[in-house]
């Protein structure tokens, strides 16, 4: 394993079909009153182009800064997020599917550090965004709050 080499920078990608119209799925991501039901627990504001906000996961005593670069309503969100020393780019693409469904694609890129750190961060991000999509799907399609993010790292069972 000493000769493993990266030829491309790892990118995290998570995608899922949500059986709700694009406008409803888009609103669930930009509106913290909805997003806090399936992802983070607190936000300093709604996502808007050029806005800087903070998202907090109180159960983990963790916050990230979010710098919203671009929003194309019901189509795309481009943001950077992270904690001080480095930020990564996150792009959300909302694609209408059939009459009233949305295919949501989330891509996270720009991880920094050693090869091992970059791969680990990309894998963690892909897993995390998969949980986000599952929670969003459960909430919008079935009005069920999975608590998947809150239950991913129960205190005392695993260090995060």
């Amino acid at each position: 394993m000493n000769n493993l080499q990266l030829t491309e920078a790892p990118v995290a990608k998570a995608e899922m079909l949500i059986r709700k119209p694009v406008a409803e799925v888009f609103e669930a991501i930009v509106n913290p009153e909805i997003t806090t039901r399936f992802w983070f627990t607190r936000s300093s504001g709604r996502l808007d182009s050029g806005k800087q906000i903070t998202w907090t996961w109180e159960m983990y005593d963790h916050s990230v800064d979010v710098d919203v670069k671009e929003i194309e309503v019901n189509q795309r969100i481009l943001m950077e997020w992270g904690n001080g020393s480095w930020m990564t780019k996150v792009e959300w693409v909302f694609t209408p599917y059939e009459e009233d469904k949305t295919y949501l694609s989330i891509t996270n890129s720009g991880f920094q550090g050693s090869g091992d750190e970059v791969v680990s961060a990309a894998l963690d991000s892909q897993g995390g965004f998969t949980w986000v999509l599952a929670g969003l799907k459960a909430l919008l399609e079935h009005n069920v709050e999975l608590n998947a993010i809150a239950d991913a790292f129960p205190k005392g069972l695993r260090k995060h």
Side-chain angles (χ1 to χ4, degrees), residues 65-69 78-82 87-90:
D65 296 321
V66 177
D67 186 5
V68 183
K69 300 295 187 182
L78 180 62
M79 63 184 219
E80 290 182 353
W81 74 337
M87 305 282 277
T88 62
K89 180 169 60 171
V90 180

Side-chain angles (χ1 to χ4, degrees), residues 2-18:
N2 290 338
N3 60 356
L4 292 177
Q5 295 179 7
L6 295 175
T7 58
E8 294 182 25
V11 173
K13 191 162 196 163
E15 300 174 300
M16 189 170 294
L17 181 69
I18 310 290

Side-chain angles (χ1 to χ4, degrees), residues 7-148:
T7 58
E8 294 182 25
V11 173
K13 191 162 196 163
E15 300 174 300
M16 189 170 294
L17 181 69
I18 310 290
R19 288 178 172 81
K20 289 293 178 177
V22 167
E24 190 173 338
V25 176
F26 185 86
E27 182 67 14
I29 300 302
V30 299
N31 183 346
E33 290 181 18
I34 302 169
T35 319
T36 54
R37 295 182 62 197
F38 67 89
W39 192 9
F40 46 80
T41 56
R42 192 174 64 225
S43 175
S44 63
R46 181 182 174 89
L47 294 183
D48 287 309
S49 290
K51 194 170 182 181
Q52 294 181 340
I53 60 172
T54 301
W55 287 341
T56 301
W57 291 261
E58 294 166 311
M59 66 287 222
Y60 301 126
D61 193 30
H62 180 75
S63 295
V64 295
D65 296 321
V66 177
D67 186 5
V68 183
K69 300 295 187 182
E70 296 176 35
I71 287 191
E72 299 169 44
V73 175
N74 296 335
Q75 296 177 44
R76 180 175 170 262
I77 300 168
L78 180 62
M79 63 184 219
E80 290 182 353
W81 74 337
N83 287 315
S85 62
W86 59 274
M87 305 282 277
T88 62
K89 180 169 60 171
V90 180
E91 183 178 40
W92 307 72
V93 176
F94 302 78
T95 303
Y97 182 75
E98 295 180 343
E99 294 277 325
D100 58 352
K101 299 174 184 77
T102 305
Y103 191 72
L104 180 53
S105 176
I106 308 166
T107 304
N108 191 189
S109 61
F111 302 101
Q112 299 175 17
S114 70
D116 287 343
E117 291 168 333
V118 168
V119 168
S120 179
L123 289 171
D124 284 350
S125 176
Q126 185 164 335
F129 280 120
T130 300
W131 285 118
V132 169
L133 287 173
L136 172 63
K137 182 178 183 71
L139 180 67
L140 294 185
E141 291 183 16
H142 307 286
N143 199 31
V144 171
E145 294 184 29
L146 290 180
N147 297 315

